Amino acid sequence: MRRDDIRNLAIIAHVDHGKTTLVDCMLRQSGRFRDTQLVGEQILDSNDLERERGITILAKNIAIPYKGVKINIIDTPGHADFGGEVERVVGMADGALLLVDAAEGPMPQTRFVLSKAFACGVRPIVVINKIDRPDARCHEVVDEVLDLFLSLGADDHLADFPYIFASSKLGFATFDPKTPGENVHELMDLILEKIPGPDVELGEPLRMMVTSLDWSDYVGRIAIGRVQSGTLRKGQSVLLMQDGDRQTSAKVASVFLFQDLGRAEVHEVDAGDICAVVGLEGIEIGDTISDPQTPRAMPRIEVDEPTLKMTFGVNTSPLCGREGKYLTSRHLRERLLKELEKNVAMRIEPIPGTEQFSVAGRGVLHLSILIEIMRREGYELSIGKPQVIYKEIDGKKCEPYESLVIEVPTDRSGPVMELIGPRRGMLAEMTTHNEYSFMTFSIPARGLIGLRTRILNATQGTAIMHHRFEAYKPVADAVPGRASGVLVSVFNGRAVAYGLNGLQERSELFVSPGDDVYEGMIVGENSREGDMNVNPTKEKKLSNMRATGHDENILLKPARKMTLEEALEYIAEDEYVEVTPAQIRLRKIMLKETDRRRAARAGA
């Protein structure tokens, strides 16, 4: 049977197409909150990193009542690197709002999230968002979405999708883009009409799939999922159907339903609703909470495999321990295993013979978010260069390819082509809207490492890049690495303006006067190929000899400060990024110059 008093809805879209802003509108116009309760924008982006970067990283659950129906809304991330979050939670929904920008149209992540929705049997409603943009082309975008549906193999029933036009920023939805509305009630009515209620088995034994995990310092692990059949009650004895055909008995301590922006404790939850369960120790994502008398496991969640890996190790530089709280490999291992419990798209393996770990994820952003969270928690780390994960398919060595879309002013498309060509990127499609060109490339994932910074420099910051995993293909030819060498300090101490002044003529500096440096630390970028050993701590010699001329004023250019993502993409194979709660430094793996020379001779 179907429940008509509930709608389970996921909001999916490409990054920056307005998902979280649309949820803001629905919350403000629900009549459930005072103005003081909904402060600011992107209300669901509650994480510090989400607010700083303006992106959604973790999927969120809320519930809004409308005309006697409870609408469970799942806000999902838009970046391809966090696709694992989308794959986990879209199975809880019966329908989806697919947001598409009225000017940009369908983008790479739009195709990805829509294919996952089709795989889970989710019915989509298309929302053409941002129709207030001056370059909006509403009806053209509807046609492009139809082409996308057909290219993904949608049948006639799915291809006849309902659609509506909206402006999340102005807070309205309308069926006629030429006639702006006053609120989003037309969208809410369309949800009730077109999204079916959950198909449930009320009289059957209990079954619930765990699709997400939360943590509380007071109650421990919290399992979140949708009850598929039966009823889940507080104090009920259940059986956990876990990976490897393991079965564990447990007892439910308490049950919570999602209500408005939070959760409300209830005595029981019927099939079809999304809930949070407390008291089940050792539960993991993908486990089935089942009735002990008639245990039945649901198919485990399958997510796409990671395509990129990095080496995580403890900080071994001479400056270690000055800022961090967690410094040992034991701390690092415990933290990574804890992350593995809730991040299903990540893989972690110890590297034999070392105290380091190989951490694999969907992309540089996916892994850098983890590193950023860890450094804020007080960890000190050494991170190796990102490397793609190769596979052997039909006896051939294959590597991951990405579909790369670049939006750039047409008069600056030349430098983009020049940069992508040597990185083995092949132009698949090129379209023009007004003064902008949209270029779609198929490029090895290796070629993307370090590409964003170069393209932004070449286009004076006007290019916008998006990419998603495409497929594994035979390995392409070599991709050029970093063109220039680096300046490596051969002394410990503090950088001095006099010493840096002699270096800035032939390099770009990464440190400022007064910064701590050590032997083996990278202090700048060489203007030529090859590394150069330097002394940034060099001071002017003091003597009683009168100088024939006057002392020159030292004017230093501002040091180049890299973000974590830029540093990870910049380093070479023999270098580490040293990450502490207060600093991001670059260093050689072998700190001593004699060790590096010996290794170079052995390699030659």
Side-chain angles (χ1 to χ4, degrees):
M1 60 173 289
R2 287 197 177 273
R3 291 185 62 176
D4 293 329
D5 60 334
I6 291 178
R7 299 291 188 274
N8 295 321
L9 180 74
I11 299 186
I12 58 179
H14 186 78
V15 62
D16 286 339
H17 280 197
K19 299 179 299 301
T20 308
T21 309
L22 180 63
V23 176
D24 287 356
C25 295
M26 299 168 79
L27 287 169
R28 295 184 195 281
Q29 298 179 22
S30 65
R32 300 280 298 179
F33 304 94
R34 298 187 303 273
D35 290 341
T36 54
Q37 289 178 279
L38 302 175
V39 180
E41 298 178 348
Q42 285 84 44
I43 297 163
L44 291 193
D45 287 346
S46 53
N47 186 306
D48 288 342
L49 274 176
E50 291 177 325
R51 289 204 169 278
E52 289 172 19
R53 294 170 180 253
I55 60 175
T56 301
I57 297 172
L58 301 172
K60 316 286 193 321
N61 294 70
I62 61 169
I64 301 175
Y66 181 71
K67 292 185 177 180
V69 177
K70 177 185 178 183
I71 303 177
N72 286 314
I73 299 176
I74 309 165
D75 184 24
T76 64
H79 276 86
D81 286 23
F82 307 113
E85 290 283 315
V86 180
E87 293 172 84
R88 281 198 294 110
V89 301
V90 76
M92 290 193 289
D94 300 295
L97 290 186
L98 176 68
L99 267 69
V100 183
D101 191 295
E104 294 182 356
M107 297 292 279
Q109 185 68 357
T110 311
R111 171 181 287 271
F112 171 79
V113 295
L114 186 59
S115 64
K116 297 301 176 185
F118 284 167
C120 293
V122 170
R123 295 290 307 279
I125 294 175
V126 176
V127 181
I128 308 299
N129 195 27
K130 301 188 182 182
I131 63 171
D132 54 307
R133 287 182 57 162
D135 56 346
R137 42 191 192 91
C138 302
H139 293 291
E140 286 182 47
V141 170
V142 173
D143 294 338
E144 291 175 7
V145 173
L146 176 59
D147 293 339
L148 175 60
F149 272 60
L150 295 176
S151 68
L152 290 176
D155 55 24
D156 294 342
H157 184 57
L158 278 175
D160 188 21
F161 54 84
Y163 61 90
I164 191 169
F165 304 95
S167 171
S168 301
K169 186 177 179 181
L170 301 180
F172 70 83
T174 176
F175 288 103
D176 183 3
K178 296 180 181 178
T179 310
E182 298 179 355
N183 49 50
V184 294
H185 291 171
E186 288 188 346
L187 173 59
M188 304 288 278
D189 292 334
L190 188 64
I191 291 171
L192 298 189
E193 178 188 348
K194 298 296 185 180
I195 300 298
D199 190 4
V200 298
E201 306 166 13
L202 282 177
E204 295 295 316
L206 169 68
R207 275 200 309 166
M208 171 183 156
M209 165 71 77
V210 178
T211 54
S212 186
L213 286 179
D214 201 354
W215 174 264
S216 166
D217 292 334
Y218 301 100
V219 298
R221 201 173 294 191
I222 302 171
I224 299 172
R226 172 174 143 181
V227 180
Q228 189 65 31
S229 63
T231 303
L232 182 65
R233 297 181 180 87
K234 179 180 179 179
Q236 181 178 356
S237 295
V238 297
L239 192 67
L240 305 183
M241 315 291 289
Q242 299 187 292
D243 193 19
D245 295 330
R246 289 182 294 122
Q247 298 184 3
T248 308
S249 298
K251 188 174 183 179
V252 176
S254 51
V255 183
F256 295 82
L257 279 178
F258 289 93
Q259 180 177 310
D260 300 334
L261 287 174
R263 304 179 187 136
E265 187 172 0
V266 295
H267 181 68
E268 63 180 31
V269 178
D270 290 325
D273 215 339
I274 298 173
C275 67
V277 187
V278 173
L280 307 179
E281 291 296 326
I283 195 164
E284 298 174 356
I285 291 174
D287 291 352
T288 301
I289 301 174
S290 178
D291 183 80
Q293 306 302 322
T294 54
R296 290 186 300 162
M298 299 174 67
R300 294 189 70 83
I301 298 172
E302 293 185 6
V303 298
D304 291 343
E305 294 184 0
T307 57
L308 200 74
K309 63 181 180 181
M310 297 182 193
T311 300
F312 280 47
V314 295
N315 185 14
T316 56
S317 85
L319 303 180
C320 71
R322 293 191 180 185
E323 300 154 1
K325 187 165 55 171
Y326 304 108
L327 310 172
T328 66
S329 57
R330 177 178 63 84
H331 289 136
L332 180 59
R333 180 186 297 105
E334 291 174 355
R335 179 61 182 85
L336 291 176
L337 292 177
K338 181 181 175 183
E339 183 68 23
L340 202 58
E341 292 176 357
K342 58 184 179 181
N343 200 332
V344 294
M346 196 168 280
R347 304 284 185 272
I348 298 169
E349 296 178 358
I351 299 177
T354 70
E355 294 186 347
Q356 297 176 326
F357 298 86
S358 175
V359 182
R362 291 284 181 85
V364 173
L365 181 63
H366 185 203
L367 296 174
S368 69
I369 290 292
L370 170 61
I371 299 169
E372 184 66 35
I373 292 172
M374 290 177 66
R375 70 181 287 224
R376 294 184 182 202
E377 292 173 351
Y379 288 84
E380 291 195 10
L381 306 167
S382 293
I383 312 295
K385 181 177 175 61
Q387 297 177 328
V388 298
I389 298 174
Y390 296 98
K391 280 185 176 180
E392 189 167 317
I393 301 175
D394 297 332
K396 292 184 179 180
K397 186 179 180 182
C398 296
E399 65 176 332
Y401 272 68
E402 304 260 337
S403 175
L404 170 67
V405 175
I406 298 181
E407 176 186 352
V408 66
T410 304
D411 59 342
R412 292 180 177 170
S413 58
V416 174
M417 303 287 284
E418 291 176 6
L419 282 171
I420 292 182
R423 291 171 176 260
R424 312 305 167 191
M426 300 293 292
L427 182 64
E429 184 181 359
M430 183 172 179
T431 58
T432 305
H433 301 316
N434 297 330
E435 298 176 355
Y436 281 83
S437 294
F438 292 80
M439 296 181 283
T440 303
F441 298 89
S442 178
I443 184 171
R446 284 181 297 145
L448 287 175
I449 298 174
L451 179 63
R452 184 181 300 274
T453 305
R454 294 177 182 275
I455 283 188
L456 288 176
N457 290 339
T459 60
Q460 287 74 51
T462 57
I464 300 174
M465 288 176 54
H466 299 293
H467 58 88
R468 68 170 184 88
F469 174 71
E470 181 183 340
Y472 268 89
K473 299 180 182 178
V475 175
D477 294 335
V479 171
R482 191 174 63 202
S484 53
V486 291
L487 307 186
V488 185
S489 173
V490 290
F491 287 91
N492 300 327
R494 289 182 181 269
V496 178
Y498 181 80
L500 296 178
N501 185 46
L503 301 176
Q504 70 173 352
E505 298 177 1
R506 62 189 106 174
S507 65
E508 183 179 12
L509 297 175
F510 298 158
V511 295
S512 303
D515 289 350
D516 289 317
V517 298
Y518 54 83
E519 183 179 5
M521 178 175 162
I522 297 172
V523 296
E525 180 179 77
N526 195 359
S527 58
R528 302 176 182 177
E529 292 184 11
D531 298 341
M532 183 164 60
N533 297 312
V534 298
N535 179 14
T537 66
K538 181 181 179 182
E539 297 182 352
K540 184 177 181 181
K541 291 184 178 179
L542 301 178
S543 70
N544 60 356
M545 296 295 293
R546 183 184 297 272
T548 54
H550 62 278
D551 288 344
E552 59 180 297
N553 290 327
I554 296 177
L555 297 175
L556 292 176
K557 293 181 290 186
R560 175 179 168 188
K561 299 297 182 183
M562 295 189 188
T563 64
L564 180 57
E565 286 88 0
E566 289 171 346
L568 291 171
E569 293 185 339
Y570 180 82
I571 58 174
E573 299 285 349
D574 63 336
E575 296 165 4
Y576 279 154
V577 177
E578 177 190 347
V579 179
T580 72
Q583 296 288 337
I584 296 174
R585 304 184 183 96
L586 307 183
R587 52 161 284 191
K588 290 291 184 179
I589 295 177
M590 296 181 179
L591 296 179
K592 292 189 174 296
E593 179 186 359
T594 53
D595 293 341
R596 294 196 297 273
R597 287 182 176 177
R598 190 178 296 117
R601 285 197 298 269

